[in-house]
Amino acid sequence: MAGGRTYWDKALTKIFLDLCIAEKIKRNHNKKGRTNIGWQNLYRNFREQSGKTYDNKQLQNKFSTFKRQYKLWKSLKNKSGGGWDNNSSTIRCDDDWWEDRIEENRDARQSRGKPLEYEDELTTHFGCMDTEEGTMLCVGGIGKRTPSSGSDDNLTPMSNDNVGLSSAGRKEQVVDRPPPKKSKNMEYYVGCVSESMLERSRNESSVLRGEQDEIKELLQLVEEDGVAQGSELYFIATDLFRSAARWAAFRCIYPAENRKAWLRWTWDNARKK
């Protein structure tokens, strides 16, 4: 029931994070936070795909929780220096170091000896926020922001009755406008990735075609990076690209050598989990 307690299993959480990433890809997100259009798309599509009636505030709270978790994890990772273990994706520092971090923030104890859950998805969504505007996942959003103080951590809940109202009380027509044209690749990416995730529950055949086209384009990029068809790394890429979050992460990495290193690193870590 709307407004009641929420229960988030892995499948439900994955739907939520994929939709968050989709709105960022559609450029309904900027450095200050999600736009008003982005939030409305997220509310609607989450309810359609999950069958849950969680209210707007509950979804905002979930988003803010993920944002705080990622920021804390990133801060701990940066402070750990040589204590970061790539093999286990955990921070391996001594007890004194952990006691100092927990004294600074009690929530740090949750990261002690544990990898960050949904690391790929959270890094894709939050990890590129401070890069230059030309980065695919970090371009400015479109439309008005959710009425708030200017941060995702301080959101004003919205009901179905006040959708389309400005802070001054005037009615506005909320229009999900397409992003301005940047290049053929950007249009193709948005069309194949975002729409396939948002419309998969309504049109499975269309989703399948879109995902196939996207994977073909990504594998073309892998070949352009110097990875030969039939090689071990090429087959690793075909397996990793089953995840939409990894599509976006791969496109966010430059140059080619770093993309190839990411393929190997992600594969090695996925096998150990």
Side-chain angles (χ1 to χ4, degrees), residues 7-8 19 25 48 62 76 137 148 178 180 186 194 209 221 226 244-245:
Y7 172 74
W8 293 88
L19 290 173
I25 293 171
E48 288 178 358
K62 187 64 174 177
L76 292 172
L137 293 182
S148 70
M186 172 64 79
S194 301
R209 287 194 300 270
L221 181 57

Side-chain angles (χ1 to χ4, degrees), residues 73-88:
W73 174 82
K74 188 70 174 178
S75 174
L76 292 172
K77 182 181 177 182
N78 290 340
K79 290 179 180 179
S80 69
W84 175 253
D85 186 347
N86 277 329
N87 293 327
S88 62

Side-chain angles (χ1 to χ4, degrees), residues 61-197:
N61 288 342
K62 187 64 174 177
F63 180 84
S64 295
T65 297
F66 276 131
K67 184 176 181 180
R68 286 194 299 272
Q69 288 175 347
Y70 179 81
K71 288 175 67 176
L72 175 58
W73 174 82
K74 188 70 174 178
S75 174
L76 292 172
K77 182 181 177 182
N78 290 340
K79 290 179 180 179
S80 69
W84 175 253
D85 186 347
N86 277 329
N87 293 327
S88 62
S89 294
T90 58
I91 299 170
R92 297 190 177 277
C93 292
D94 59 30
D95 291 341
D96 290 339
W97 186 91
W98 275 110
E99 288 174 8
D100 289 341
R101 302 292 80 75
I102 293 171
E103 186 174 348
E104 293 170 356
N105 188 330
R106 294 183 62 185
D107 290 339
R109 68 184 64 190
Q110 299 174 7
S111 299
R112 189 170 187 173
K114 300 177 183 177
L116 177 66
E117 196 170 13
Y118 306 106
E119 179 182 346
D120 286 345
E121 290 83 356
L122 295 181
T123 300
T124 297
H125 194 285
F126 299 115
C128 297
M129 279 188 163
D130 297 326
T131 64
E132 62 186 57
E133 291 187 1
T135 303
M136 184 169 296
L137 293 182
C138 308
V139 292
I142 298 173
K144 301 288 185 180
R145 279 183 37 74
T146 304
S148 70
S149 65
S151 167
D152 278 320
D153 289 331
N154 188 9
L155 298 167
T156 302
M158 299 177 63
S159 68
N160 293 331
D161 295 331
N162 62 15
V163 172
L165 288 178
S166 68
S167 58
R170 296 188 303 272
K171 285 194 175 182
E172 299 174 342
Q173 184 178 6
V174 177
V175 180
D176 192 355
R177 296 170 294 172
K181 293 183 179 180
K182 292 292 183 180
S183 67
K184 181 178 179 181
N185 287 339
M186 172 64 79
E187 291 178 349
Y188 186 84
Y189 186 77
V190 172
C192 292
V193 181
S194 301
E195 293 307 319
S196 69
M197 287 192 291

